Amino acid sequence: MELTRPDIIIFDYGDTLAWEPVPDFLRGWRAVFRYVSENPDGAAPEDAKNIGDELWQRFSGSRSLSAARNGGWEIHEWQQLRTVMEALGLKTSVPLEEAELILMENSCPSFLKPGASEMINFLRSRNIPTGVISNIGWSGNALANRLGRLFPLHSFEFVIASSEYGIRKPDPLLFRIALKKTCPPAEKVWYCGNDWYADVLGAHAAGMFPVWFNESGGEPPEKADIPCLCVGSWREFTNILMLN
């Protein structure tokens, strides 16, 4: 496949640029409770986690891939936080936005994928702009904050979190929104992600060139005649870019 230099490369976040271990929301709520200023019923972090788990079970159906294909919706973390805290009568000494960051960082730490930092540094050295589109319930501000810590020397042109829009990949609307934030035509935009359906098919539907970040080396889950670059690591991706 003959490749031409992209005008911008957009990335997925989870399991693409970074990975997260299994979340520990009890640990997260214990951290939030250090900032609780009013607790009339003597609620414990376990109570908050239980309500959060119940809400997540209710919401999870709307966030599935099958739901996304049929108009499924995303849930914003602030809705869940507000529901949990007001149901327990809790007030905190920090605003909701900060409480979210505390919950996120203590529940769901994040670690860079091997070679991701070097790859991003290479793109910056070649003056290739970057952006992010992520299916994520955390707010766009929380995601941007995390990316800023993971890549402290880099500035993404934009960060799109599905929580801020109510829709999830592979809905092409999210990709089209990203195109509105960039100047190049869709065919000059590369989109990199690990999920065949959400990332590869979604980007292709919007006219972007998909890059499948396929660490496992597996075959596509379905036969599709889609022009696509498949890479098994960010080092491989960087080496390919060096040749173009």
Side-chain angles (χ1 to χ4, degrees), residues 2 41 67 100 107 180 214:
E2 184 176 351
D41 298 325
E100 179 200 19
S107 301
K180 291 294 184 182
N214 181 20

Coordinates of all heavy atoms in Angstrom, one line a residue, residues 2 41 67 100 107 180 214:
E2 N 0.6 2.1 -0.9 CA 1.4 3.4 -1.0 C 0.8 4.4 0.0 O -0.4 4.7 -0.1 CB 1.4 3.9 -2.4 CG 2.2 5.2 -2.6 CD 2.3 5.7 -4.0 OE1 1.8 5.0 -4.9 OE2 2.8 6.8 -4.2
D41 N -25.9 11.5 57.0 CA -26.3 10.1 57.4 C -25.2 9.2 57.7 O -25.4 8.0 57.9 CB -27.2 9.5 56.2 CG -28.4 10.3 56.0 OD1 -29.0 10.9 56.9 OD2 -28.8 10.4 54.8
A67 N -25.5 -1.2 21.0 CA -26.3 0.0 21.2 C -25.8 1.2 20.3 O -26.6 1.9 19.8 CB -26.3 0.4 22.7
E100 N -14.3 14.8 40.4 CA -14.2 13.8 39.3 C -12.7 13.4 39.1 O -12.4 12.3 39.0 CB -14.8 14.4 38.0 CG -14.6 13.4 36.9 CD -14.7 14.1 35.5 OE1 -14.5 15.3 35.4 OE2 -14.9 13.4 34.5
S107 N -9.2 5.8 41.1 CA -9.9 4.6 40.7 C -9.2 3.9 39.5 O -9.1 2.7 39.4 CB -11.3 4.9 40.3 OG -12.0 5.4 41.4
K180 N -14.3 19.0 11.5 CA -14.7 20.4 11.6 C -13.6 21.2 12.4 O -13.5 22.4 12.2 CB -16.0 20.6 12.2 CG -17.2 20.1 11.4 CD -17.4 20.9 10.1 CE -18.6 20.5 9.3 NZ -18.7 21.2 8.1
N214 N -3.1 -3.0 16.2 CA -3.5 -4.5 16.5 C -2.3 -5.2 17.2 O -1.6 -5.9 16.5 CB -3.8 -5.1 15.1 CG -4.2 -6.5 15.2 OD1 -4.6 -7.0 16.2 ND2 -4.1 -7.3 14.1

